[in-house]
């Protein structure tokens, strides 16, 4: 690759976070569908880009990047937008919450979605894990809601950062998945500052572009429905 960006994506996967950030930054990029129905993320060609076999990958002039948090930070520092600058007094605060969302919230959500990968196929063990996780996730969201109430602007729809898009997508998926679990534990009204963030993000051009590209529906964050993408599958 000699220039520009190429996003390897599947609809309504973690690549959506990167797509939204690229749109917010106003960057041109190509997309390459990773066909999850054929496990294309495990193909030899894809594994040369991301040996972990996970989505997304962002190809850049400096080489391929993976891990969503790393991509967001690299884009922000490269384009001097979408995160506090290196010298900003709130840079450290932003980074600690970006890594909290990436390493803790997203990781716990992955266990909620795929418990068999962590405790095997015993249904009682999966149920116990999910019950523990839903309590943890509620705690995580309460903490983030306080950050949204108190932060200096980097968790606000007025000037969305990569962290904003990351949180929005995770909240979307909490409302929709897993399909085999009672999701009544998730109550967006319990986190009013995060709800305000999501409502604001729905009015951004970046969101409208992603709605068309990935079939997200009219209210993808505040009242999401399952994606109906023009190509590919979310699962």
């Amino acid at each position: 690759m000699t220039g520009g960006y190429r996003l390897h994506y599947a609809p309504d996967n973690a690549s959506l976070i990167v797509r939204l950030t690229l749109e917010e930054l106003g960057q041109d990029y190509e997309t390459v569908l990773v066909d999850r129905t054929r496990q294309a993320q495990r193909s030899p060609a894809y594994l040369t880009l991301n040996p972990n076999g996970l989505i997304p990958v962002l190809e850049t002039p400096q080489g391929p990047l993976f891990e969503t948090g790393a991509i967001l930070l690299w884009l922000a520092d490269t384009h001097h937008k979408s995160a506090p600058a290196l010298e900003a007094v709130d840079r450290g605060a932003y980074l600690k919450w970006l890594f909290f969302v990436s390493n803790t919230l997203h990781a716990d959500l992955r266990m909620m979605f795929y418990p068999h990968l962590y405790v095997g196929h015993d249904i009682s063990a999966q149920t116990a894990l999910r019950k523990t996780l839903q309590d943890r996730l509620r705690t995580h969201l309460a903490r983030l809601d306080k950050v949204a109430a108190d932060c200096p602007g980097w968790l606000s729809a007025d000037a969305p950062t990569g962290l904003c898009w990351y949180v929005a997508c995770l909240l979307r998926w909490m409302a929709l998945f897993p399909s085999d679990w009672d999701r009544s534990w998730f109550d967006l009204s319990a986190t009013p500052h995060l709800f305000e963030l999501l409502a604001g993000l729905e009015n951004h051009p970046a969101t409208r572009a992603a709605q068309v590209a990935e079939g997200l529906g009219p209210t993808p964050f505040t009242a999401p429905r399952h994606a109906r993408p023009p190509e590919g599958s979310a699962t």
Side-chain angles (χ1 to χ4, degrees), residues 46-183:
Y46 191 82
L47 292 174
T48 64
L49 300 172
N50 183 353
N52 301 308
L54 297 173
I55 301 167
V57 165
L58 182 68
E59 290 189 78
T60 80
Q62 285 73 47
L65 299 176
F66 53 84
E67 294 296 329
T68 302
I71 295 171
L72 297 182
L73 185 55
W74 186 89
L75 285 171
D77 288 351
T78 298
H79 297 287
H80 310 291
K81 188 180 176 183
S82 195
L86 288 170
E87 67 278 6
V89 294
D90 56 346
R91 169 79 170 192
Y94 176 84
L95 291 182
K96 71 184 180 185
W97 287 107
L98 174 64
F99 280 84
F100 169 79
V101 167
S102 177
N103 296 352
T104 302
L105 179 59
H106 197 172
D108 280 354
L109 202 55
R110 180 174 170 78
M111 286 192 283
M112 175 70 91
F113 293 166
Y114 308 110
H116 62 282
L117 297 178
Y118 301 91
V119 295
H121 293 281
D122 181 84
I123 298 301
S124 61
Q126 292 183 18
T127 298
L129 176 61
R130 280 176 164 170
K131 286 182 176 178
T132 298
L133 287 167
Q134 70 184 32
D135 291 339
R136 282 169 49 176
L137 288 165
R138 272 195 292 255
T139 299
H140 297 338
L141 294 182
R143 289 173 179 158
L144 278 173
D145 195 62
K146 187 176 187 309
V147 174
D150 298 343
C151 80
W154 39 258
L155 202 54
S156 165
D158 293 339
T161 62
L163 178 59
C164 292
W165 298 117
Y166 207 151
V167 169
C169 290
L170 294 185
L171 288 168
R172 168 182 168 79
W173 299 327
M174 284 185 213
L176 293 173
F177 304 106
S179 57
D180 62 341
W181 184 255
D182 178 9
R183 294 186 301 281

Side-chain angles (χ1 to χ4, degrees), residues 32-44:
V32 179
L33 177 67
V34 181
D35 188 350
R36 291 194 59 182
T37 64
R38 299 182 180 181
Q39 291 290 294
Q41 70 271 29
R42 305 277 190 241
S43 69

Side-chain angles (χ1 to χ4, degrees), residues 11-12 16 20 172 176 198 201-230:
D12 212 9
L16 174 60
L20 287 161
R172 168 182 168 79
L176 293 173
L198 301 190
L201 291 175
E202 283 184 343
N203 296 319
H204 276 258
T207 302
R208 291 194 288 273
Q211 285 172 295
V212 173
E214 303 199 14
L216 301 182
T219 51
F221 302 133
T222 59
R225 62 153 172 80
H226 290 280
R228 298 168 188 165

